[in-house]
Each structure stands twice: as C-alpha cells, then as structure tokens.
C-alpha cells in the first residue's frame, strides 16, 4: 500500500481499471491518412473500459518550434489537467508519456484520420483505448475547477479544535497521512511516523523513544481551530501541538553527525517536469508498488522528506537548490535496506528487465544525484512521552 504525502491537500492516486480488455487491432495506416492528420493540434477523447469506465480527454498544442505539448484530463476522476511529459507523432504513430500517473499511450491513426487506435498502459496494466478527434458538438465537457476553500492566513499559528487519536484496526491495511479538506488525518501511523512528519526528521533523528513508538499504530483525525485551508507547514504545526497534548511529548534538540543521503542535481540538469499546478493544488507522493514512485506538484524539500520517511534507512539532505514544484516518475529495484517503514521484506529482483538500483535510476530518470555521506543533522532527544490520552 502506498505511503501518501500531505502537501497541504488531498493526496490522489490515479488508479485506472485493473481488468484488461482484449486488444482492438488498429487498422493499417496509409500515407493519405497521415497527411490528413499532419496537424494533430486539438482535442481528442476516448473511454477506458473495464471494471469502471474512465473518460480521458487529451489536448494537444503545437509550439512555435514545432514540438508538441499536451495535457490530459481524466474527467471522471477530477478537474485538474495532468501534464504529459512527452508527446510524439511520427509516421502515423502517436506516443504519450504521462509520468505523473505512470502511464503511456501508443496508438496509430485510422484510415480516415479521425482516430488513434492503440493501448493505454498504467503500471503493469494495459487497456485498449481509441482516441477520437472531437468537434464542438462531440466534445465532452471538462469539469470546471471546484471553488477551493480560501487558504488560511499564512501568518496564523493554528491549533486543533477537535482531535481524535485511537489505536488502528489491525485488519485494515495501508499507511497514509492526508490533509484533505484542510483536516489532518492518518491511518496505521506510529508515533515515529507522526514525529517524522511533524518535525521533518528521519526516525534515526529521534533519540530515546520507547519501543512502542515503532510498534503501536494509531489513526489520527484533527480539525484546525481557524478558518481556511492550512499550508503543509501549518499542518505540521497542528501535529506538533497534538503530540504535545495527547502524547505528553517533551524533548530537546541537539546535533549529531550520522550517515545520510545527500540529494543534488546531476550533470545535465533535472529531467523532471515542472508542475503546471499552483502551490494550492494537490501534491502527491505515491507508490503503485515498492520502487515504483509517481510524484506530482512536489517541492524538492517535500521529495527529500518523503524519501527519508518512506524509503531510506537514514536522513535525506536536500542540496539541489531547486525552486518550484515538479512532476515525475521513478522506477528502481529496491534493496533490503529500503522500505523498512512499511514493515516488508524486500526480495531482490534479479530478472534481466528489472529496473536499476536507486542511485542509477534517480540520475537517469529524473536528473538528480544521490550520494551516501556523513552529515551533521538536528536530532530530537525525547525527555518524556506517553501513550495517547483518551479522546
């Protein structure tokens, strides 16, 4: 199950149908058809059929330099456009790479030039998809962006108005933390998980915690005491107050040199897509499976935080100096030191087509560099903590 980030908003994992439909064979492409559709600017739409039908709308624009840019709307799942990393049309074949939702489309033009017939692939699932060129009469309506709740005053220091902390149901799977609708919620999170989020630290930066801090799991729900949607920093502040109130947490800070990972920009520069969303929009950090990560609208500080929280056995120090928010896809083969926060045992994948190790993947796929190094980091020394009080 994915460990999901907050980013100040609801975390969304775009999951398409799990059932694969028999492939529809594309018609052969003639030079005439290619000529008809030489200019593929405009809007194309089609339905992914499966356990639940999902409608996709692709808008393609030709840039002044002749390159193609496009976005896709999954209109039954939300109102936000998803940036398509790469759009290629050559010899009648259309190729779309949608890293933000770990998807690709490869299709060929029909004889009359009115459609592309091909396959949509997301993760390990492949589904046939026919994209039809739209007209004003046939185009589906794209949902208008929902009016978002006004942001909380950035200078405000909110507390929680109402909060519940209870032991997690052992029969419920999945660990996540979300800020949907401005409310802070978690599922199956340990005290260590909550502290990692609240104070932006790795578990190794927490010193003197009792053994139950890594074993007991809690579901948390907290509503801010001030109007407006809190930022991620304000959500962290609410979590800190909740830990002090319900867990009677007391600590002091210190510094310690320890093994860490240092994140920098690789030679050649970053290869991530700069997000088209603003900083009030959804951010996500989602694993479709271990070592198979999609992230959307995330800062480098956020990327480093969630990599250390969910993946690595040591802190991650961001030294990329990259500003802004990014979308990307990262696939690698995990080793036994990774994903310990998920409580799973990694079985090495030695198959010939297995993705590369994280060090290679992060450089080749998103243009960053990860180095093991010694670094001096802040640590939290626990002076006192208790199991949570009754709600």
């Amino acid at each position: 199950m994915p460990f999901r980030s907050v980013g100040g908003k609801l975390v969304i994992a775009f999951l398409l149908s799990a059932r694969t439909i028999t492939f529809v064979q594309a018609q052969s492409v003639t030079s005439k058809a290619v000529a008809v559709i030489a200019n593929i600017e405009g809007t194309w739409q089609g339905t992914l059929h499966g356990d639940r039908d999902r409608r996709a709308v692709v808008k393609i624009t030709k840039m002044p330099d002749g390159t193609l840019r496009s976005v896709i709307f999954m209109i039954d799942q939300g109102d936000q456009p998803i940036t398509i990393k790469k759009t290629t049309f050559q010899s009648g074949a259309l190729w779309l790479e949608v890293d933000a939702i770990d998807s690709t489309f490869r299709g060929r033009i029909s004889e009359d030039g009115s459609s592309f017939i091909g396959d949509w692939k997301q993760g390990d699932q492949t589904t046939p998809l026919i994209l039809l060129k739209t007209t004003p009469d046939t185009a589906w309506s794209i949902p208008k962006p929902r009016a978002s709740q006004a942001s909380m005053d950035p200078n405000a220091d909110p507390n929680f108005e109402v909060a519940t902390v209870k032991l997690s149901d052992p029969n419920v799977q999945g660990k996540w933390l979300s800020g949907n609708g401005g409310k802070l919620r978690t599922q199956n999170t340990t005290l260590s998980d909550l502290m990692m989020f609240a104070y932006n630290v790795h578990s190794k930066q927490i010193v003197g915690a009792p053994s139950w801090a890594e074993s007991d799991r809690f579901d948390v729900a907290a509503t801010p005491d001030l109007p407006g949607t809190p930022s991620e920093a304000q959500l962290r502040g609410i979590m800190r107050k909740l830990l002090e109130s319900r867990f009677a947490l007391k600590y002091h800070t210190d510094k310690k040199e320890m093994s860490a990972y240092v994140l920098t920009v690789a030679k050649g520069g970053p290869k991530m897509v700069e997000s088209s969303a603003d900083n009030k929009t959804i951010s996500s950090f989602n694993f479709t499976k271990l070592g198979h990560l999609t992230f959307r609208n995330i800062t480098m500080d956020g990327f480093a935080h969630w990599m250390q929280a969910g993946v690595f056995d040591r802190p991650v120090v961001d030294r990329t100096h990259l500003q802004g928010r990014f979308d990307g896809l990262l696939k690698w083969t995990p080793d036994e030191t990774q994903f310990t926060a998920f409580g799973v045992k990694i079985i090495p994948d030695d198959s010939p087509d297995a993705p590369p190790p994280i060090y290679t993947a992060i450089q080749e796929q998103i243009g960053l560099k990860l180095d093991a190094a010694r670094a001096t980091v802040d640590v939290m020394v626990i002076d006192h903590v208790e199991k949570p009080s009754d709600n």
Side-chain angles (χ1 to χ4, degrees):
M1 296 297 291
F3 194 109
R4 301 176 181 174
S5 71
V6 176
K9 293 285 183 176
L10 169 65
V11 173
I12 293 184
F14 294 87
L15 301 176
L16 302 184
S17 170
R19 186 178 69 182
T20 302
I21 310 295
T22 303
F23 174 65
V24 179
Q25 182 64 42
Q27 300 176 23
S28 61
V29 179
T30 66
S31 58
K32 179 180 177 182
V34 174
V36 168
I37 200 68
N39 181 358
I40 65 169
E41 287 185 278
T43 303
W44 302 77
Q45 63 189 27
T47 301
L48 289 150
H49 297 290
D51 296 335
R52 213 165 40 128
D53 287 353
R54 310 295 174 100
R55 292 176 297 165
V57 176
V58 177
K59 290 182 175 289
I60 301 176
T61 304
K62 182 177 287 187
M63 308 305 290
D65 63 0
T67 59
L68 298 172
R69 297 281 181 87
S70 54
V71 297
I72 185 169
F73 294 82
M74 307 304 294
I75 62 176
D76 296 310
Q77 293 177 279
D79 52 34
Q80 294 295 325
I82 303 166
T83 301
I84 296 177
K85 180 181 179 181
K86 187 176 182 181
T87 304
T88 305
F89 176 64
Q90 188 174 10
S91 301
L94 178 66
W95 172 251
L96 306 176
E97 296 181 21
V98 199
D99 280 5
I101 53 175
D102 187 18
S103 301
T104 60
F105 173 75
R106 185 189 296 274
R108 296 193 67 82
I109 191 175
S110 62
E111 287 283 352
D112 61 2
S114 65
S115 63
F116 283 102
I117 305 173
D119 279 341
W120 174 275
K121 185 176 181 181
Q122 183 172 41
D124 296 329
Q125 300 294 329
T126 300
T127 307
L129 176 62
I130 300 175
L131 289 175
L132 301 173
K133 186 69 179 286
T134 68
T135 68
D137 293 331
T138 62
W140 294 328
S141 297
I142 295 175
K144 293 182 179 179
R146 287 164 292 182
S148 59
Q149 183 181 4
S151 297
M152 186 176 289
D153 180 347
N155 297 315
D157 182 21
N159 203 328
F160 57 88
E161 181 177 40
V162 179
T164 60
V165 181
K166 62 182 181 180
L167 286 171
S168 302
D169 183 343
N171 298 313
V172 175
Q173 301 298 308
K175 176 192 291 190
W176 52 261
L177 190 153
S178 169
N180 178 25
K183 296 182 179 181
L184 186 58
R185 294 186 178 90
T186 81
Q187 177 180 286
N188 277 331
T189 44
T190 64
L191 172 61
S192 180
D193 293 328
L194 301 179
M195 291 179 65
M196 287 164 66
F197 170 71
Y199 299 97
N200 198 12
V201 295
H202 187 271
S203 59
K204 287 190 174 179
Q205 293 169 265
I206 303 172
V207 179
S211 60
W212 61 263
E214 294 282 358
S215 58
D216 290 8
R217 298 182 179 274
F218 304 95
D219 296 345
V220 175
T223 301
D225 63 351
L226 296 175
T229 300
S231 66
E232 181 169 330
Q234 288 168 326
L235 286 171
R236 291 182 191 276
I238 293 170
M239 181 64 80
R240 290 194 292 269
K241 293 179 177 68
L242 185 145
L243 290 171
E244 293 166 4
S245 171
R246 297 298 172 85
F247 290 81
L249 175 64
K250 298 183 186 301
Y251 68 94
H252 66 273
T253 60
D254 202 347
K255 289 189 179 292
K256 185 177 180 181
E257 184 181 76
M258 65 177 63
S259 297
Y261 288 112
V262 176
L263 194 65
T264 57
V265 176
K267 185 178 180 180
K271 299 179 182 179
M272 301 168 290
V273 175
E274 193 162 350
S275 181
S276 59
D278 60 33
N279 58 9
K280 298 179 182 179
T281 308
I282 296 163
S283 72
S284 67
F285 187 92
N286 183 66
F287 289 100
T288 53
K289 62 181 181 181
L290 299 184
H292 208 146
L293 167 68
T294 61
F295 56 91
R296 188 175 181 214
N297 195 34
I298 201 164
T299 64
M300 283 296 94
D301 179 68
F303 180 84
H305 169 76
W306 291 108
M307 289 297 283
Q308 74 175 12
V311 179
F312 290 122
D313 61 345
R314 63 190 72 177
V316 178
V317 181
D318 174 27
R319 293 181 183 164
T320 63
H321 305 296
L322 292 175
Q323 303 301 311
R325 294 171 177 265
F326 302 90
D327 301 339
L329 171 65
L330 184 61
K331 300 180 183 179
W332 77 93
T333 298
D335 63 36
E336 65 278 0
T337 68
Q338 298 167 17
F339 293 105
T340 56
F342 288 80
V344 297
K345 182 178 180 180
I346 298 296
I347 300 175
D349 185 354
D350 298 325
S351 59
D353 59 348
I358 183 66
Y359 301 99
T360 303
I362 204 167
Q363 187 164 339
E364 292 180 347
Q365 297 171 24
I366 63 175
L368 301 180
K369 193 165 182 272
L370 191 70
D371 293 303
R374 300 286 293 180
T376 299
V377 298
D378 292 329
V379 295
M380 298 178 60
V381 182
I382 306 300
D383 297 317
H384 180 81
V385 70
E386 302 172 3
K387 292 191 178 185
S389 57
D390 294 336
N391 296 310

